[in-house]
Amino acid sequence: MTSPVKSAQRVLELLEFFAEERRPTAVGVIARALGWPQSSTSVLLRGLAETGYFDHDARTGMYVPNVRISLATAWIQEHLYSEHNLLRLMEDVLEKTGHTVMIGSRRGVHVRYLHVLQATREGRFLAKTGSLRPLFRSAAGKMLLTTLPEREIAMLLRKANALETDSTTRLEFATVVRELETARRQGYAVSMGTSMPGAAALAMLIPAIRDREPMTLSLGGPLKEVRRDRERLVATLREVLEPLRKVAAG
């Protein structure tokens, strides 16, 4: 029997799946994508449809979240970011750059992607909502580290290095400090193939409007493209975040 905690976790994973897919989807497709048994996936979806949180097309067998969920959660973005909601910012970056867009926050010695909008073009950079990236090797992680005092950075680096099985991949504290100083000065961080081979990312801090954990807005794409278009991509991130900077400063 599935525990209440596991059932609740599956509902949240299901919502994250639809946040990426953005279309009605069949039970079998959902089960395969999330690695769940099809029988329990079907039971969960039927229950959500019966309670009015999901719509179910009996003709096609497709399921999709409905407006009840949107109305139940809309206050979160309105409370934290007013009209400048994060999803709109992400959509703006995706439209202007064509690259995958991520919102990230720190989880121990990793960055967790809280939400991802996938690029749809060929050769795209793939990321998954909920996935983890190394704190010291990802662009988002480096930007998040710029918000911490050196003592905490040193402690996190010791933990991260202890997880490295190859001693040659461990980082020196002095090297990390120099890189973070550069990121602070520039206002953005970059990773060129260090988080994922062949992929690059750029990240900026999302200006804090209230007393919240730091988050980043980042984009990722093929290494050659991001390196070539770096200045334009950085300018786009700055432009998109500017309204939030004005609100935070006001």
Side-chain angles (χ1 to χ4, degrees):
M1 182 177 178
T2 304
S3 71
V5 172
K6 188 170 183 180
S7 294
Q9 182 178 338
R10 283 192 167 183
V11 171
L12 296 175
E13 290 176 5
L14 188 61
L15 292 176
E16 288 180 340
F17 167 83
F18 276 102
E20 292 185 16
E21 288 297 311
R22 300 185 168 204
R23 60 186 176 185
T25 310
V27 174
V29 174
I30 297 168
R32 285 192 297 274
L34 296 176
W36 299 347
Q38 185 159 331
S39 57
S40 58
T41 306
S42 181
V43 169
L44 178 60
L45 286 162
R46 279 203 307 272
L48 290 168
E50 288 169 2
T51 51
Y53 289 100
F54 271 57
D55 289 332
H56 176 229
D57 188 329
R59 182 178 57 84
T60 63
M62 299 283 196
Y63 285 89
V64 68
N66 67 23
V67 71
R68 183 176 180 183
I69 288 177
S70 174
L71 292 172
T73 58
W75 70 273
I76 299 173
Q77 291 253 24
E78 291 171 2
H79 175 67
L80 296 178
Y81 292 99
S82 185
E83 70 275 14
H84 307 295
N85 78 60
L86 297 183
L87 184 57
R88 199 171 303 141
L89 296 182
M90 296 176 75
E91 289 171 341
D92 199 6
V93 175
L94 176 59
E95 181 181 349
K96 290 177 176 177
T97 69
H99 291 303
T100 297
V101 187
M102 298 80 69
I103 297 288
S105 68
R106 185 170 71 85
R107 185 173 179 84
V109 293
H110 293 90
V111 173
R112 184 181 294 281
Y113 289 148
L114 303 178
H115 194 55
V116 175
L117 293 185
Q118 302 285 3
T120 55
R121 58 196 179 83
E122 195 173 337
R124 61 181 176 164
F125 166 88
L126 289 173
K128 182 176 174 58
T129 298
S131 61
L132 299 173
R133 291 288 183 269
L135 189 65
F136 287 88
R137 298 186 183 278
S138 60
K142 293 170 190 176
M143 259 344 273
L144 291 168
L145 283 166
T146 65
T147 67
L148 301 176
E150 284 197 2
R151 180 178 298 179
E152 190 169 354
I153 294 169
M155 180 267 292
L156 289 168
L157 182 60
R158 286 194 295 272
K159 289 183 177 180
N161 280 338
L163 295 174
E164 297 286 352
T165 54
D166 183 353
S167 61
T168 62
T169 60
R170 292 170 188 157
L171 299 171
E172 295 290 335
F173 180 66
T175 303
V176 169
V177 168
R178 284 195 299 272
E179 190 167 11
L180 296 184
E181 286 174 352
T182 299
R184 286 191 190 96
R185 186 174 63 253
Q186 294 179 152
Y188 71 92
V190 60
S191 62
M192 294 287 180
T194 53
S195 179
M196 288 186 66
L202 300 169
M204 291 185 182
L205 289 171
I206 296 173
I209 296 175
R210 290 179 172 85
D211 186 20
R212 304 288 298 177
E213 287 293 314
M215 294 189 297
T216 55
L217 176 67
S218 58
L219 61 84
L223 180 61
K224 290 182 180 178
E225 291 185 33
V226 174
R227 182 177 285 150
R228 181 193 66 207
D229 301 329
R230 178 168 169 169
E231 288 187 14
R232 178 179 66 83
L233 298 174
V234 167
T236 298
L237 287 174
R238 284 188 174 132
E239 176 189 351
V240 167
L241 288 171
E242 185 59 27
L244 280 183
R245 286 196 185 93
K246 290 180 179 177
V247 173

